[in-house]
């Protein structure tokens, strides 16, 4: 009976070594100037092996907003034994590319992940996938919020359309 329990524990332990881990983080962006919101973020994937980390940024983006992110994993020793290898990332389901490779300082992978021409509306969720042999990674996320029109702006728009309609009708009658 003890042998069966020991074998079962060994099988479970061996299966968990290569298993994927997932972690979720909420990051509050800070308004720095005007419509620019920014924040740093980091993660220590555990256990070793494949990981998928999800970062949800607040506040939500408005239509016309742009976002940029930068990821980096630097090893002081330059040893690959403590590095993280990024296998992919996506922002709101849009696959992002442009990852670097090994450098003198380890696996320095950094990239502006989202092109500034991409329009976002709603919550921003950055998903980072990779493989870790230990260590951590970090990054910076910038959000340039599109300005939201004030109610007075809509009032002026409606008044202007009303005047145009009135003038068109008057011109049509004469």
């Amino acid at each position: 009976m003890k042998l069966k329990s020991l074998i079962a524990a060994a099988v479970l332990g061996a299966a968990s070594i290569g298993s994927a881990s997932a972690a979720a983080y909420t990051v509050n962006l800070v308004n720095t100037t005007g419509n620019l919101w920014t924040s740093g973020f980091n993660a220590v994937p555990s256990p070793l092996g494949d990981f998928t980390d999800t970062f949800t940024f607040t506040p939500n983006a408005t239509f016309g907003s742009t976002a940029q992110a930068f990821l980096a994993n630097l090893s002081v020793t330059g040893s690959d034994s403590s590095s993280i290898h990024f296998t992919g990332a996506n922002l709101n389901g849009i696959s992002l590319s442009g990852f670097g490779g090994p450098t003198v300082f380890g696996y320095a992978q950094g990239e502006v992940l989202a092109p500034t021409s991409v329009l976002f509306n709603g919550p921003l969720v950055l998903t980072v996938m990779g493989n870790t042999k230990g260590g951590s990674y970090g990054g910076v996320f910038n959000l340039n919020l599109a300005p939201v029109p004030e109610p007075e702006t809509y009032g002026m728009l409606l008044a202007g359309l009303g005047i145009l309609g009135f003038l068109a009708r008057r011109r049509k009658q004469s």
Side-chain angles (χ1 to χ4, degrees):
M1 186 69 161
K2 258 188 166 183
L3 183 60
K4 285 183 182 179
S5 297
L6 189 60
I7 291 173
V11 168
L12 281 173
S16 68
I17 289 175
S19 67
S21 69
Y25 305 91
T26 299
V27 180
N28 295 316
L29 299 173
V30 177
N31 183 239
T32 54
T33 56
N35 292 335
L36 181 63
W37 295 71
T38 188
S39 184
F41 60 94
N42 58 49
V44 182
S46 179
L48 303 181
D50 295 336
F51 68 89
T52 300
D53 291 335
T54 304
F55 299 90
T56 303
F57 297 94
T58 58
N60 290 347
T62 55
F63 183 76
S65 298
T66 58
Q68 297 175 327
F70 179 81
L71 289 174
N73 168 41
L74 297 174
S75 170
V76 178
T77 63
S79 168
D80 190 49
S81 64
S82 64
S83 72
I84 292 177
H85 174 72
F86 298 117
T87 57
N90 68 64
L91 183 61
N92 286 9
I94 300 169
S95 184
L96 307 168
S97 60
F99 292 103
T103 70
V104 192
F105 297 109
Y107 226 84
Q109 295 177 307
E111 197 64 36
V112 172
L113 296 178
T116 56
S117 61
V118 177
L119 302 176
F120 294 98
N121 190 20
L124 293 164
V125 179
L126 175 68
T127 305
V128 180
M129 288 109 5
N131 182 283
T132 180
K133 296 178 184 172
S136 63
Y137 70 92
V140 176
F141 191 86
N142 295 318
L143 171 64
N144 191 4
L145 278 177
V148 177
E150 298 292 326
E152 293 84 10
T153 306
Y154 290 116
M156 286 190 298
L157 175 68
L158 288 174
L161 289 173
I163 291 171
L164 285 175
F166 172 76
L167 291 175
R169 183 174 179 180
R170 189 170 159 195
R171 184 175 288 167
K172 193 175 187 182
Q173 287 176 352
S174 44

